[in-house]
Amino acid sequence: MSKIIIFLGPPGAGKGTQSQLLKERNGFIQISTGDLLREAVKNQTELGKLAKQYMDEGKLVPDDLIISLIKEKLQEYADKNIIFDGFPRTIPQAESLDNLLSHLNKNVDAVILFKIEDDEVVKRLAGRRVCPSCGAVYHMIYNPPKTDEICDKCGARLIQRDDDKEEVIRKRLEVYHQQTKPLIEYYKNKIVEIDATDNPKNIYNKIASMI
Ligand code: ADP
Ligand code: AMP
């Protein structure tokens, strides 16, 4: 039976970093709504045009857009082990996911909660650099590329995300506390907490041993 895992936690907690490792080493499919939305914005699709302003302001994209995106992906990857990275982010999104999964005779197996303080998140996001070509994630101090500003994996020039600016980061954190944190109660029987301030290798080992 395939596994469905949710990575829950504030922006910058390290969800994408760990998803990437589980994808490379354990064959999980990573479904990141943030990555899917950024791709839609880049390709100027209808979804991208609708989502852009919310993302630039650090607000959540409306639930109905996110849910139809997920519905499509679940059909595509019905039999795979999946990590949802950055989804669900609201109670209605979580209810819709349960509903979609029940039609496939599945359910959420575990929710990994990444615990980290806001000030550390700000430091992480301000130093984050991403590869626009292959999606690899770096940090200028904690996880720098071998050559300045160049992706180790594919050689592309790294960029800073538009929403990784301090005022947008603060807004994203506020949105997390108000709209996403209620999911901790919603998933209380499935939550496993991890200390997201530990180093990436230890975090990976903990998650890999659990799932
Ligand atoms: P999220 O997907 O939760 O928004 P990321 O995985 O993109 O978070 O990580 C945010 C930033 O923090 C990146 O610059 C990343 O390199 C760095 N980072 C990720 N995990 C750790 C860690 N365990 N310790 C220190 N820095 C980390
Ligand atoms: P992320 O890459 O997860 O940090 O997401 C970047 C931005 O995309 C967020 O600040 C939101 O604007 C939007 N977004 C990503 N996932 C969701 C979601 N599940 N629900 C609503 N908005 C989302």
Side-chain angles (χ1 to χ4, degrees):
M1 187 73 170
S2 58
K3 283 188 181 153
I4 309 278
I5 312 289
I6 291 173
F7 279 2
L8 180 65
K15 305 182 297 298
T17 300
Q18 295 299 328
S19 303
Q20 199 68 36
L21 291 172
L22 282 144
K23 184 173 149 185
E24 287 165 12
R25 299 179 187 175
N26 305 74
F28 272 83
I29 298 289
Q30 172 194 15
I31 300 185
S32 156
T33 39
D35 286 350
L36 293 169
L37 291 167
R38 277 184 291 280
E39 188 66 21
V41 171
K42 193 166 104 191
N43 295 332
Q44 298 186 335
T45 64
E46 275 314 301
L47 170 66
K49 285 179 201 158
L50 290 167
K52 187 173 184 326
Q53 197 178 345
Y54 295 99
M55 296 172 77
D56 287 347
E57 290 175 10
K59 296 179 182 161
L60 292 184
V61 172
D63 288 336
D64 53 337
L65 298 177
I66 300 291
I67 291 159
S68 46
L69 191 60
I70 288 295
K71 204 169 168 181
E72 205 180 289
K73 289 288 151 189
L74 266 182
Q75 278 158 2
E76 192 177 340
Y77 297 116
D79 302 325
K80 307 282 189 198
N81 291 329
I82 297 174
I83 290 173
F84 283 110
D85 163 11
F87 170 87
R89 264 165 142 113
T90 63
I91 298 279
Q93 290 181 20
E95 288 169 346
S96 297
L97 177 63
D98 281 344
N99 190 24
L100 290 170
L101 290 175
S102 73
H103 285 103
L104 299 167
N105 282 324
K106 291 175 181 233
N107 59 347
V108 172
D109 292 287
V111 178
I112 314 280
L113 176 63
F114 287 64
K115 296 213 54 157
I116 185 166
E117 296 296 325
D118 287 4
D119 286 346
E120 187 56 28
V121 160
V122 175
K123 280 188 216 154
R124 284 195 182 178
L125 293 184
R128 174 160 69 179
R129 295 293 180 274
V130 296
C131 175
S133 178
C134 73
V137 181
Y138 300 87
H139 189 280
M140 288 195 314
I141 296 158
Y142 306 141
N143 175 30
K146 292 193 183 83
T147 312
D148 235 12
E149 303 289 324
I150 301 292
C151 180
D152 292 346
K153 294 188 181 166
C154 74
R157 181 160 292 278
L158 303 179
I159 57 163
Q160 181 169 33
R161 271 171 49 173
D162 287 343
D163 59 352
D164 282 347
K165 304 202 174 81
E166 180 141 1
E167 62 290 3
V168 188
I169 294 171
R170 293 280 173 200
K171 178 67 193 172
R172 288 159 66 205
L173 276 167
E174 189 189 312
V175 165
Y176 172 75
H177 290 298
Q178 278 178 4
Q179 300 189 55
T180 305
K181 259 189 160 173
L183 292 179
I184 297 174
E185 175 64 20
Y186 184 89
Y187 286 123
K188 63 174 184 277
N189 299 325
K190 298 187 174 175
I191 291 245
V192 183
E193 283 187 14
I194 57 141
D195 174 5
T197 63
D198 204 348
N199 69 57
K201 189 164 163 260
N202 286 348
I203 296 173
Y204 169 78
N205 288 336
K206 270 186 208 148
I207 297 176
S209 70
M210 281 188 274
I211 60 182

